[in-house]
Amino acid sequence: MALLTSDKNSEKVQEAERIAREAGAAASKRASESYWAVSWRIFRKNKLGVVCLGIVALLVLVALLAPVIAPYDPYAQDLVNRLAAPGAGHVLGTDELGRDILSRIIYGCRISLSVGVISQAIALLIGFFSGVVAGYFGGRVDAVISFVIQVFSSFPFLLFAIVIMFVLGPGLINLYVALGLLMWTTTARLVRGDVMRLKGSEYIQSCMLSGGSSWRIITKHLLPNCVSTLIVTSTLGIPNAIMSEASLSFLGLGVNPPTASWGAMISSSQAYIQVVPLYSIATGIAIIITVMAFNLLGDALRDALDPKMRS
């Protein structure tokens, strides 16, 4: 009996050792995972974020393949069939000039995404370098840049955008520039905070003491550590740019007609909402889906990329 009990205890000890080894191997594997591998694993667990990533990818495909997907030329007028009800010929009907509404919504996706991406790229470029310069050099340089950031942030965004577009004039290029010049402050503040935190780390201090140039330190050490911040801010900034473009186009200060723009389409559809309600409803739904997808995707990326948000 004692021998049988001893064998059972030995088996339990071996089983415990095996479990411990497996747990240690799993912990070692997790520790050896790269930052991006861990972030991707966390992101995949967020089902809503994955769905929004799929929606964003689908919107990008729609924008790229607009000439193939659109059933009609979005600028071809058919005054005989103006304000036609939805039917087999036109799924969402036609507008006041007989243009196919679905085709214009598809091409409007291209305009909205281009405005969001290009204006945010301009904002990231300005915001990153101003934030790095302010956080890295500090002193008077930081004070001047911080003051400029406060000045830009103190004005109501849409009102400031209206003033700039009124000065520059309507047009797609002017819209890129205006929104890019107005959206850089958030990126600058976040990058400045990251750089000030990183500047005190040992490896940055050793690079500075060893005579490393400021440009090399910024590009080789600070920029890679700010990538996650730039990804999150750009993902959350794109829907803001899309909403701003829609608002400015609604007011007649966005893209020039007859360019298909969601904001301009909603503005034009007001007078015909009772005749062809899908004219404004479908366009509004397109804006809502796009903005919500980018916002929720940005939240999911923030949870995955920010170590403080990880559980």
Side-chain angles (χ1 to χ4, degrees), residues 71-132:
Y72 295 93
D73 182 349
Y75 306 111
Q77 301 181 12
D78 185 4
L79 298 179
V80 176
N81 293 319
R82 60 188 300 269
L83 299 176
H90 300 277
V91 177
L92 298 179
T94 60
D95 63 6
E96 69 279 7
L97 296 176
R99 298 171 296 191
D100 184 66
I101 294 175
L102 177 59
S103 299
R104 291 185 64 78
I105 289 177
I106 292 173
Y107 272 80
C109 178
R110 171 178 285 188
I111 296 298
S112 294
L113 290 185
S114 69
V115 169
V117 172
I118 295 177
S119 63
Q120 189 59 36
I122 296 172
L124 283 180
L125 186 64
I126 299 173
F128 172 74
F129 283 103
S130 60
V132 165

